[in-house]
């Protein structure tokens, strides 16, 4: 708590301040996870009814949206909260800092999300196709390895049969 209207902290109040600092860090990390998770889920749900997309394409598209839109929202919220906090501090130190930080974070997050979604709208198809191409390449390589192993097994088996006197 505070001693007076001049915003002077009471002695031995460090534990309470440290708790709020820890809570703020946790909320920031949780916000990042929620932002990225909801952006990816949004794209997954958009693509759920599309029979023309493979699972690899859907995963690639969801990952793109999560990274671009979710990351942009988080960056916007982080920058907005710092700018809002600075403006709030200039107007009314203490309470203004908190209110400015919250309002700035919301405004920045919305703006960042909008920019990120715009960018994701223009990149999601290319990333989906790239994910499918990578999946096809890995699948083709795996089939090649399986075929080579089968051929090697047949060759070794044939060689053993030739030298086996029984």
């Amino acid at each position: 708590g505070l001693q007076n209207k001049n915003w002077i902290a009471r002695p031995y109040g460090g534990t309470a301040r440290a708790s709020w600092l820890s809570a703020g860090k946790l909320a920031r990390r949780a916000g990042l996870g929620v932002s990225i998770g909801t952006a990816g889920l949004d794209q997954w749900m958009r693509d759920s009814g599309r029979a023309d997309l493979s699972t690899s394409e859907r995963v690639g598209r969801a990952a793109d949206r999560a990274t671009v839109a979710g990351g942009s929202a988080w960056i916007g919220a982080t920058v907005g909260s710092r700018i809002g906090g600075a403006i709030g501090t200039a107007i009314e130190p203490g309470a203004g800092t908190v209110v400015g930080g919250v309002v700035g974070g919301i405004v920045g997050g919305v703006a960042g999300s909008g920019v990120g979604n715009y960018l994701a709208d223009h990149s999601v198809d290319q990333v989906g196709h790239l994910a499918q191409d990578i999946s096809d390449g890995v699948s083709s390589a795996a089939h090649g390895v399986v075929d080579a192993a089968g051929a090697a097994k047949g060759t070794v088996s044939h060689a053993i049969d030739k030298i086996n006197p029984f």
Side-chain angles (χ1 to χ4, degrees):
L2 300 172
Q3 281 185 332
N4 60 32
K5 65 181 181 172
N6 292 326
W7 298 93
I8 299 171
R10 291 188 179 147
Y12 310 108
T15 304
R17 287 190 298 278
S19 296
W20 280 108
L21 181 62
S22 295
K25 288 179 182 179
L26 179 62
R28 185 172 146 195
R29 289 183 188 122
L32 173 61
V34 168
S35 177
I36 290 174
T38 56
L41 180 62
D42 174 57
Q43 186 65 48
W44 186 264
M45 296 307 293
R46 287 183 193 191
D47 294 340
S48 65
R50 292 189 54 185
D52 62 317
L53 295 176
S54 69
T55 301
S56 297
E57 285 176 295
R58 286 181 64 197
V59 168
R61 291 165 60 92
D64 177 58
R65 173 90 48 194
T67 304
V68 175
S72 296
W74 180 74
I75 290 169
T78 301
V79 171
S81 67
R82 291 175 188 224
I83 292 171
I87 293 170
T89 301
I91 295 170
E92 177 68 39
T97 305
V98 173
V99 172
V102 170
V103 171
I106 292 169
V107 170
V110 169
S113 177
V115 169
N117 277 309
Y118 174 81
L119 295 173
D121 287 343
H122 292 84
S123 67
V124 73
D125 288 331
Q126 291 81 9
V127 172
H129 295 312
L130 176 62
Q132 183 60 50
D133 292 344
I134 291 170
S135 175
D136 290 346
V138 168
S139 178
S140 178
H143 286 304
V145 168
V146 168
D147 292 345
K153 177 185 173 196
T155 302
V156 169
S157 177
H158 182 68
I160 289 174
D161 287 345
K162 282 186 135 190
I163 60 171
N164 186 359
F166 303 105

